Structure formats: structure tokens, C-alpha cells
Amino acid sequence: GENVEQHPSTLSVQEGDSAVIKCTYSDSASNYFPWYKQELGKRPQLIIDIRSNVGEKKDQRIAVTLNKTAKHFSLHITETQPEDSAVYFCAARNYQAGTALIFGKGTTLSVSS
Amino acid sequence: KAGVTQTPRYLIKTRGQQVTLSCSPISGHRSVSWYQQTPGQGLQFLFEYFSETQRNKGNFPGRFSGRQFSNSRSEMNVSTLELGDSALYLCASSLAGTRTGELFFGEGSRLTVL
């Protein structure tokens, strides 16, 4: 089955810096890669996603890149703000097999002002 | 539009007991999946249901089971509880049949096993 590895497990940056979180997946049939943000004590929420037919997607300060050959995808946050502090999870899915997601173990991002 | 509702929110059990958790998906969502969240292990997939049928199952022992009813509400059951079952159990619903199928999570049921 699918396995998703995520690095780093913790990341500390200064406000205004950029943050990058990287994930690799094992199943070449996976074709959908979302990123979820979970603030302390709250439920995970989707922040951005990318499908396998796209190499990059941006939404304001957030971008995701996908390298299908290397089975690697990354989340990039620019101009970080204290409210970006949270746990970020990458995930992968083969949407032809269902809606279940296989998640990485998460990255705790801390943005200090 | 109401979100995903999970009950109970908190519960304490002792080893050997069993527990049943409930999840009501967003109206119109027919797919429900369950995840176990523990510190350091992230979100681990338990199972997924669609139209009362289990479509996928994660790598958990048979003590973990679930079902889905005709109104899409879902329950999961854990029998013969162990200390390691202490976790936040999250339910998520989605519109099945879509290519992206964003998952909408509930607030979770926090289980403590003593």
C-alpha cells in the first residue's frame, strides 16, 4: 500500500522567512496530493492540493510542487506570519480507489515574530 | 450547512472494555473515513465507507471495526481496549465520485484508556 514520508518533523522560522516542507510517496498510482493544516486543538483543514497532471499550483503565499518521476512533492510558504504556526500534513491518494487519504506524520511549524 | 459531527467528544475507558464512536457526515456526503491521531504518528487511516460498504481498510488489528448506515452516518467500534488505543479518533466525510474529494473533518473523539 501507499506510504508517505514527510520532513522535517519540526521547523522554526522567523516571521517573513520562507518555509518548505517535503514529502515522498511510494505508490506510483497516487494521483492526488493535498496539504492539511491543523491548528492546536482544532480539526485538520485543507489548504491546497495538486493533481498528478499539474507540476505546480499557487494560492497567495502558499505553493505546492510535484515531481511525479521522483514521487516527491513539497509545500512552500512565503512571507510566513505567526498565524501560520500549526501542524502541516501532506497526503496522497489514488482517487480511483476511493477517497481515503494516506498522511505523512506531520510537520510542526513555528513562526516567531 | 452543518459540519461533520462526532460523538462523544471525550471518553475514558479501562483496558478490556469496548467503545463505539459515532460520526454524522455533512448532508449529501456519502463517503466517510476514519483516522487515528496520536502524537508523533500523525493521522493513520483506519477505514473508509461508501454506500454502507467498506471500500478500504488500513493496517489496524481486527479489534477495530466500523459500519455505515443507509443515511451515511457511521460508527466505529474498538473491542478489548488497550492502553495504546488512547488517541484522537477523527472522522471525515467527502463527496464521493469527485476527483479531488476534499475531506471535511469532525472535531474528533478523544479516547483515553486507563
Side-chain angles (χ1 to χ4, degrees), chain B residues 80-97:
Chain B
T80 320
L81 285 166
E82 300 177 0
L83 295 178
D85 297 333
S86 294
L88 180 67
Y89 290 88
L90 289 164
C91 164
S93 74
S94 67
L95 277 172

Side-chain angles (χ1 to χ4, degrees), chain B residues 67-98:
Chain B
R67 59 178 176 168
Q68 186 181 34
F69 302 95
S70 58
N71 61 358
S72 294
R73 190 177 70 85
S74 178
E75 289 182 348
M76 68 163 281
N77 183 277
V78 187
S79 62
T80 320
L81 285 166
E82 300 177 0
L83 295 178
D85 297 333
S86 294
L88 180 67
Y89 290 88
L90 289 164
C91 164
S93 74
S94 67
L95 277 172
T98 63

Side-chain angles (χ1 to χ4, degrees), chain B residues 10-11 18 24-25 32 44 58 63 65 77 79 87-88 93 103 109:
Chain B
Y10 303 90
L11 66 167
Q18 73 163 11
S24 293
V32 173
Q44 293 186 280
R63 301 185 296 107
S65 62
N77 183 277
S79 62
L88 180 67
S93 74
L103 295 189
S109 293

Side-chain angles (χ1 to χ4, degrees), chain A residues 43-102:
Chain A
R43 69 191 81 187
Q45 291 191 300
L46 177 71
I47 55 171
I48 194 168
D49 56 13
I50 191 168
R51 294 191 292 187
S52 58
N53 59 349
V54 176
E56 183 176 2
K57 182 177 179 181
K58 288 184 180 179
D59 183 4
Q60 299 182 346
R61 296 185 297 108
I62 294 174
V64 58
T65 58
L66 171 65
N67 182 328
K68 282 169 46 181
T69 304
K71 295 185 202 168
H72 172 275
F73 58 114
S74 300
L75 177 71
H76 304 253
I77 306 174
T78 58
E79 300 173 21
T80 53
Q81 301 168 2
E83 51 265 39
D84 294 329
S85 297
V87 180
Y88 291 81
F89 294 97
C90 62
R93 167 200 291 160
N94 173 1
Y95 56 68
Q96 292 170 325
T99 59
L101 288 171
I102 303 303

